[in-house]
């Protein structure tokens, strides 16, 4: 006995095979004849209705096939998925050996993965190399490179405290210009400028990071790419030099004119560049633009920090290199008086200076993160110094007994803006352990700037530092690429956590300081 092929025949055969034995059993049983006839009639009625429905469905399908014709039926067989375009994302139907197409009940769809957005900094993987030229016209004038804060207020002003020598020129000389290509010959000296036209300040995106202004980028490119016209020693102790960029008149001795030049420091002072970027990210904006630059004619071509020279800084004394003379005792009294806070004019007996009270909070926070001690703790009284520290070499360590008489150093203002400080000589120390941090820098500080604290709490400090430091190509490579930069950021992040814990433990207030 063979099994039927069609579904209708299969069902009929199955029902008959089940019904025949049961009918015989019912017929031969001892049940009453009336009840037996009722059951048999019900089963026959159900089966008859099923047969009628099968015959009606078969006749309807044959009628539709006759109306379409042979041509349309062939097209329908060739297009098994009429509503889904076969654009390469769908698998084609499988073909049988006799040439017919097998229509599957399952459609396999391959999803194309979306390309993830590239990160701003991908470690040491260098983005697509494209030459980026400085956004500067060939005929840049003084109005472009020299802003209002860089205009000299006094023609006979001396170089500020961080430059102990030097010979600034009088007003009237040619302004600084950003020159590319070969170097220039001035005063018998031949200094080569950048050999390529690619800037050492690399910006691969459409705009620079938001915390760096257009003036910051322009001055960074001036310091990093400007052709060198001369070099002047500043101090035999510090080993710093005044780097004169191209702009002096031909035949004259190279020297700084009314526009800024650069202070070239030792390779050990490379933390000045890190301090500049950290200052901008925290929203303090108190440091001078700094870049890292290689100089073939000094330090054997090793990268050195180059800091913008600003002629608008107030003159300083040779002893403290400050525009305001303060001791530790008077400084603590100023913090208690809160000079100039909320627009309040201080009384003469308070002994206030022209510096706003909030400036000390910004200075203390900045110095603590970088562990800069040469402003508020010159004698290294708040930590255990090393033999290499300046305070130990100068014999200042034993003078910690009389704290009130210790003078503050490197407290600098601008002549046209005495309310705010300018952070100079920002050499930080990343190798100081957590159990030897200088908490004396935070003594007397009861308020902290909201902009800086919010950045420290936002968990985005690392990302912003990577983005910002990546702009300085020479500094990035001198620190060992991303691996070396990450180690420096690890130290700053850990100190930031300690600082936030200190603020909470001492109940210090976090205030907006945007005056």
């Amino acid at each position: 006995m063979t099994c039927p092929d069609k579904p209708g025949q299969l069902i009929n055969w199955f029902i008959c095979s089940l019904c025949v034995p049961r009918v015989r059993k019912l017929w031969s049983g001892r049940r009453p004849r009336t009840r037996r006839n009722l059951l048999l009639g019900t089963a026959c009625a159900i089966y008859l209705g099923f047969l009628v429905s099968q015959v009606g469905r078969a006749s309807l399908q044959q009628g539709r096939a006759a109306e379409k014709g042979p041509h349309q039926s062939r097209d329908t067989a060739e297009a098994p998925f009429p509503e889904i375009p076969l654009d390469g994302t769908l698998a084609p139907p499988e073909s049988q050996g006799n040439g017919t197409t097998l229509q599957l009940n399952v459609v396999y769809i391959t999803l194309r993965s979306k390309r993830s957005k590239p990160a701003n900094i991908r470690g040491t993987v260098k983005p697509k190399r494209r030459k980026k030229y400085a956004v500067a016209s060939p005929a840049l004038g003084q109005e472009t490179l020299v802003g209002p804060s860089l205009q000299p207020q006094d023609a006979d002003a001396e170089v500020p405290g961080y430059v102990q020598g030097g010979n600034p020129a009088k007003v009237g000389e040619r302004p600084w210009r950003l020159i590319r290509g070969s170097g220039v010959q001035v005063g018998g000296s031949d200094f080569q400028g950048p050999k390529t036209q690619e800037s050492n300040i690399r910006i691969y995106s459409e705009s620079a990071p938001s915390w760096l202004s257009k003036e910051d980028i322009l001055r960074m490119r001036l310091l990093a790419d400007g052709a060198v016209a001369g070099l002047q020693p500043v101090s035999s102790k510090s080993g710093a030099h005044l780097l004169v960029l191209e702009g002096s008149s031909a035949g004259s001795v190279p020297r700084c004119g009314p526009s800024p030049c650069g202070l070239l420091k030792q390779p050990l002072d490379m933390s000045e560049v890190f301090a500049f970027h950290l200052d901008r990210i925290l929203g303090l904006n108190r440091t001078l633009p700094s870049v890292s630059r290689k100089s073939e004619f000094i330090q054997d071509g090793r990268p050195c920090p180059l800091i913008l020279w600003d002629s608008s800084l107030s003159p300083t004394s040779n002893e403290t290199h400050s525009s305001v003379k303060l001791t530790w005792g008077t400084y603590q009294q100023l913090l208690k008086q809160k000079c100039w806070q909320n627009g309040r004019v201080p009384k003469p007996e308070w002994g206030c200076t022209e510096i706003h009270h909030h400036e000390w909070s910004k200075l203390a926070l900045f110095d603590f993160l970088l562990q800069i001690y040469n402003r508020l703790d010159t004698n290294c009284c708040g930590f255990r110094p090393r033999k290499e520290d300046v305070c130990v070499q100068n014999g200042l360590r034993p003078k910690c007994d009389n704290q009130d008489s210790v003078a503050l150093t490197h407290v600098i203002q601008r002549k046209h803006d005495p309310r705010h400080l300018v952070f100079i000589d920002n050499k930080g120390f990343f190798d100081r352990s957590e159990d030897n941090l200088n908490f004396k820098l935070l003594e007397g500080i009861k308020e902290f700037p909201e902009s800086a604290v919010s950045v420290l709490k936002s968990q985005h400090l690392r990302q912003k530092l990577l983005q910002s430091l990546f702009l300085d190509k020479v500094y990035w490579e001198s620190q060992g690429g991303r691996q070396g930069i990450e180690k420096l950021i690890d130290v700053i992040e850990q100190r930031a956590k300690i600082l936030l814990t200190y603020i909470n433990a001492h109940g210090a207030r976090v205030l907006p300081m945007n005056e």
Side-chain angles (χ1 to χ4, degrees):
M1 181 176 180
T2 59
C3 182
D5 297 333
K6 295 183 179 181
Q9 296 178 359
L10 180 62
I11 296 175
N12 295 338
W13 175 81
F14 180 75
I15 294 178
C16 292
S17 63
L18 294 177
C19 290
V20 172
R22 294 184 179 274
V23 170
R24 290 178 180 178
K25 185 176 181 179
L26 290 174
W27 188 264
S28 60
R30 295 182 180 180
R31 298 177 180 272
R33 182 171 298 180
T34 305
R35 187 176 181 182
R36 183 172 54 201
N37 294 339
L38 180 62
L39 294 175
L40 182 61
T42 302
C44 291
I46 294 174
Y47 180 69
L48 181 62
F50 175 77
L51 291 178
V52 172
S53 63
Q54 292 292 331
V55 172
R57 183 180 300 175
S59 60
L60 182 61
Q61 291 180 355
Q62 292 178 1
R64 290 182 179 178
E67 292 177 0
K68 291 184 179 180
H71 179 70
Q72 294 184 359
S73 354
R74 185 170 61 252
D75 293 342
T76 305
E78 293 178 356
F81 311 109
E83 298 180 357
I84 304 178
L86 296 176
D87 57 352
T89 60
L90 300 179
E94 298 180 359
S95 178
Q96 293 181 346
N98 54 3
T100 61
T101 302
L102 177 62
Q103 297 184 4
L104 301 179
N105 294 328
V106 181
V107 179
Y108 295 94
I109 301 177
T110 304
L111 298 178
R112 295 176 180 176
S113 60
K114 297 181 180 180
R115 177 177 296 179
S116 59
K117 185 178 180 181
N120 294 325
I121 298 295
R122 287 186 175 273
T124 57
V125 179
K126 193 172 184 180
K128 184 178 180 181
R129 194 169 184 80
R130 293 177 294 176
K131 290 187 177 181
K132 291 291 183 179
Y133 301 95
V135 185
S137 173
L140 286 174
Q142 186 175 357
E143 296 81 11
T144 304
L145 293 179
V146 183
S149 62
L150 300 176
Q151 296 291 342
Q153 302 295 324
D154 186 2
D156 298 328
E158 295 183 356
V159 182
Y162 63 94
V163 180
Q164 302 172 10
N167 185 15
K170 303 297 186 293
V171 178
E173 290 188 358
R174 292 173 56 194
W176 296 103
R177 292 184 293 116
L178 183 57
I179 304 297
R180 299 195 177 279
S182 59
V184 293
Q185 296 183 6
V186 179
S189 300
D190 185 8
F191 299 103
Q192 294 295 328
K195 296 181 180 180
T196 61
Q197 293 185 347
E198 185 177 2
S199 174
N200 287 323
I201 305 301
R202 49 189 179 183
I203 301 178
Y204 294 104
S205 59
E206 296 180 358
S207 60
S210 59
W211 50 86
L212 293 174
S213 64
K214 294 182 179 179
E215 284 189 350
D216 288 335
I217 297 298
L218 190 60
R219 293 167 182 172
M220 289 170 62
R221 280 179 167 157
L222 173 65
L223 295 173
D225 306 325
V228 179
L231 187 70
Q232 295 180 4
V234 174
S235 174
S236 59
K237 295 181 180 180
S238 62
H241 291 75
L242 200 60
L243 194 66
V244 183
L245 303 179
E246 200 280 337
S248 301
S249 58
S252 63
V253 178
R255 55 183 180 176
C256 284
S259 299
C261 55
L263 181 68
L264 190 67
K265 290 193 172 184
Q266 299 291 327
L268 295 177
D269 300 330
M270 289 291 287
S271 56
E272 293 259 10
V273 180
F274 191 100
F276 162 68
H277 290 273
L278 179 63
D279 166 75
R280 293 299 191 266
I281 292 173
L282 295 178
L284 305 179
N285 299 322
R286 293 295 180 265
T287 63
L288 300 174
S290 305
V291 301
S292 182
R293 180 163 179 163
K294 292 181 180 180
S295 302
E296 293 78 8
F297 45 88
I298 190 173
Q299 295 295 338
D300 301 328
R302 289 184 294 171
C304 301
L306 185 63
I307 299 98
L308 182 73
W309 179 79
D310 193 343
S311 60
S312 67
L313 300 185
S314 300
T316 61
S317 63
N318 292 330
E319 296 179 358
T320 61
H321 309 297
S322 302
S323 56
V324 178
K325 293 184 179 181
L326 290 174
T327 62
W328 178 260
T330 55
Y331 164 66
Q332 292 296 319
Q333 291 297 325
L334 294 180
L335 295 180
K336 294 179 181 179
Q337 298 297 341
K338 299 182 179 181
C339 304
W340 305 101
Q341 188 174 10
N342 299 325
R344 183 181 56 179
V345 180
K347 297 180 180 180
E349 58 268 19
W350 291 356
C352 291
T353 63
E354 295 180 311
I355 301 174
H356 197 280
H357 173 69
H358 289 166
E359 295 298 296
W360 303 114
S361 301
K362 298 178 181 179
L363 178 64
L365 180 143
F366 184 73
D367 284 2
F368 181 82
L369 292 177
L370 293 173
Q371 286 297 293
I372 301 173
Y373 65 88
N374 60 0
R375 276 188 279 258
L376 300 176
D377 190 15
T378 310
N379 294 356
C380 304
C381 300
F383 66 102
R384 301 184 301 273
R386 302 175 305 174
K387 297 180 180 179
E388 297 81 8
D389 291 329
V390 179
C391 58
V392 177
Q393 295 180 357
N394 295 338
L396 301 177
R397 174 69 175 175
K399 298 181 180 180
C400 294
D401 297 334
N402 189 6
Q403 291 285 327
D404 294 338
S405 62
V406 177
L408 306 185
T409 61
H410 298 98
V411 180
I412 306 293
Q413 308 158 286
R414 284 191 172 94
K415 288 176 286 188
H416 65 277
D417 187 16
R419 290 286 185 271
H420 302 96
L421 294 174
V422 180
F423 302 164
I424 64 170
D425 200 5
N426 303 311
K427 182 180 180 180
F429 296 89
F430 295 90
D431 56 350
R432 194 165 296 163
S433 59
E434 298 177 9
D435 60 346
N436 193 27
L437 296 179
N438 192 354
F439 284 93
K440 182 178 174 60
L441 304 174
L442 304 177
E443 188 173 339
I445 303 297
K446 304 299 181 182
E447 302 94 6
F448 289 90
E450 183 182 25
S451 62
V453 174
S454 62
V455 173
L456 299 180
K457 289 182 178 180
S458 65
Q459 306 296 326
H460 296 310
L461 179 62
R462 176 180 299 272
Q463 178 185 357
K464 291 183 177 181
L465 281 172
L466 287 173
Q467 293 178 4
S468 192
L469 294 172
F470 182 78
L471 301 181
D472 196 326
K473 179 181 178 181
V474 178
Y475 179 81
W476 183 273
E477 295 176 352
S478 67
Q479 301 302 313
R482 177 163 183 167
Q483 185 177 3
I485 299 293
E486 292 270 13
K487 294 180 180 179
L488 301 180
I489 299 178
D490 290 340
V491 176
I492 299 300
E493 279 191 337
Q494 187 61 28
R495 293 177 183 175
K497 295 179 181 179
I498 296 175
L499 177 61
L500 295 176
T501 304
Y502 177 90
I503 294 175
N504 295 330
H506 289 77
R509 301 174 60 189
V510 179
L511 304 175
M513 300 181 181
N514 301 322
E515 77 288 338

